[in-house]
Amino acid sequence: MTSMTTDIKPVAIGDVQVGAGQQVYVIGEIGINHNGDIEIAKQLIDISAEAGANAVKFQKRTPDISTPMDMRDKIRSTPWGDMTYLDYRYRVEFDQAQYKELISYAASKGLHAFASPWDVPSVEFMEEQGAVTHKVASASVTDIELLKALAETGKPIILSTGMSTIEQIDKAVETLGTSKLVMMHATSTYPLPAEEANLRMIETLRDRYQVPVGYSGHERGLQISLAAVALGAVTVERHITLDRTMWGSDQASSLEPKGFESLIRDIRILEQAMGDGVKKVFPGELAPLSRLRRVDA
Ligand SMILES: C=C(OP(=O)(O)O)C(=O)O
């Protein structure tokens, strides 16, 4: 258990409380690293369950709406041949039946499964799936129409804050409300260089909005995510992949199975190690005390 105690109340995500004093809610971000292949998605769910994660996450798009106009006709080389960016976006989407299968597969492994919907129909899509929560991707912070649709679901919302100004975040929080909000500090550089991590934002966001704050990381390695936990991050999300050399834009800045497992192992150790900040003499110190201390006071 983490020990950072504040007055900020935890937020219930399904059957799990997310907040200070609770287990860190670790999310394996599958995103689009499945490359449209349901078997890869299932393997990434298996990996998350074996690593001890709490949830897996997908990205859900209606490509006709969520793909920026100037990107649509650009030609992209893909494992399925050259195609427009818009066609590629369709190629990596799952349909309702596939999501149903993935969400129940995740549930059978004890994991929540949800998505960041990138447009209003995708909110409806994930609502039909009965998702326990929805995430706002950093790219969507300024999409007020989307945020309103998310607020209307009444579900807890996880708001990421990369590529955004504090004024844009203020407006997003105003639209979403704070009663069921978990925020995530993020910097959307892929991969994230340490000097852009700005982890002290975790405290800034917590103080400013008085909601639980986590961390969505895009760095290589584990140190920055672990430091985020030491600074009180209540949730950690990392992209995961079967193999960093696989085709796809997020694969290189993702964690492979062993890395994700090490990350969660170390997060669970940190939860215990942070303590409560109240000075005490621990039982393990008594023998060294009697052996080493010369003057008793
Ligand atoms: C891109 C996403 O998240 P983040 O902004 O936290 O990286 C996402 O959740 O789809």
Side-chain angles (χ1 to χ4, degrees):
M1 292 287 152
T2 53
S3 57
M4 288 223 176
T5 46
T6 68
D7 294 336
I8 298 169
K9 288 200 174 57
V11 171
I13 296 187
D15 53 348
V16 175
Q17 295 289 327
V18 177
Q22 311 294 323
Q23 192 184 55
V24 175
Y25 186 75
V26 181
I27 305 165
E29 161 67 318
I30 294 174
I32 51 170
N33 278 353
H34 49 70
N35 285 343
D37 182 331
I38 194 159
E39 292 312 316
I40 295 178
K42 283 186 176 173
Q43 286 179 56
L44 290 167
I45 291 171
D46 289 341
I47 282 158
S48 300
E50 279 156 27
N54 303 90
V56 290
K57 197 199 135 283
F58 296 92
Q59 297 179 2
K60 179 65 199 141
R61 292 177 174 82
T62 310
D64 262 316
I65 301 173
S66 66
T67 310
M69 280 296 176
D70 56 340
M71 291 294 294
R72 292 176 187 214
D73 296 330
K74 292 216 159 87
I75 299 298
R76 189 170 170 122
S77 291
T78 76
W80 316 284
D82 287 357
M83 59 179 78
T84 65
Y85 189 72
L86 188 62
D87 285 343
Y88 149 68
R89 278 291 173 202
Y90 274 108
R91 181 70 185 68
V92 295
E93 284 302 320
F94 290 136
D95 62 21
Q96 284 282 9
Q98 289 169 314
Y99 262 99
K100 191 160 186 267
E101 191 175 335
L102 289 171
I103 291 175
S104 70
Y105 187 71
S108 76
K109 306 257 164 181
L111 297 176
H112 291 159
F114 57 92
S116 47
W118 286 60
D119 48 73
V120 174
S122 295
V123 176
E124 289 151 17
F125 181 103
M126 291 311 297
E127 275 292 283
E128 277 171 40
Q129 293 288 341
V132 286
T133 182
H134 304 291
K135 181 173 169 219
V136 180
S138 298
S140 304
V141 165
T142 52
D143 188 340
I144 299 299
E145 187 198 5
L146 174 68
L147 302 187
K148 281 186 178 153
L150 287 166
E152 273 167 25
T153 66
K155 294 272 170 69
I157 302 294
I158 302 173
L159 170 67
S160 212
T161 54
M163 61 175 88
S164 306
T165 64
I166 202 78
E167 292 78 17
Q168 289 168 338
I169 298 169
D170 280 350
K171 204 161 169 213
V173 171
E174 210 175 285
T175 311
L176 291 168
T178 53
S179 66
K180 290 186 189 170
L181 186 65
V182 174
M183 297 180 74
M184 279 189 154
H185 167 56
T187 302
S188 306
T189 313
Y190 296 74
L192 172 74
E195 65 274 18
E196 292 187 12
N198 199 11
L199 287 180
R200 295 196 193 283
M201 272 307 296
I202 292 169
E203 190 181 356
T204 305
L205 293 173
R206 200 166 51 216
D207 289 349
R208 188 175 180 94
Y209 302 108
Q210 294 292 302
V211 299
V213 177
Y215 173 68
S216 173
H218 307 109
E219 69 274 16
R220 293 212 168 99
L222 310 181
Q223 304 95 328
I224 295 174
S225 293
L226 291 169
V229 172
L231 289 167
V234 299
T235 167
V236 170
E237 177 182 312
R238 292 294 304 267
H239 285 266
I240 52 172
T241 179
L242 298 179
D243 177 343
R244 265 197 290 269
T245 63
M246 277 172 70
W247 186 88
S249 52
D250 295 338
Q251 310 278 7
S253 41
S254 299
L255 292 177
E256 291 181 344
K258 277 212 160 25
F260 196 45
E261 192 182 321
S262 300
L263 175 73
I264 299 175
R265 179 201 60 203
D266 291 351
I267 287 174
R268 301 304 178 218
I269 292 171
L270 280 184
E271 287 167 352
Q272 297 176 53
M274 292 305 292
D276 58 10
V278 177
K279 188 57 187 162
K280 59 199 85 147
V281 178
F282 286 98
E285 295 180 292
L286 295 178
L289 186 147
S290 63
R291 205 168 53 239
L292 300 172
R293 181 167 285 169
R294 200 170 61 83
V295 179
D296 247 346

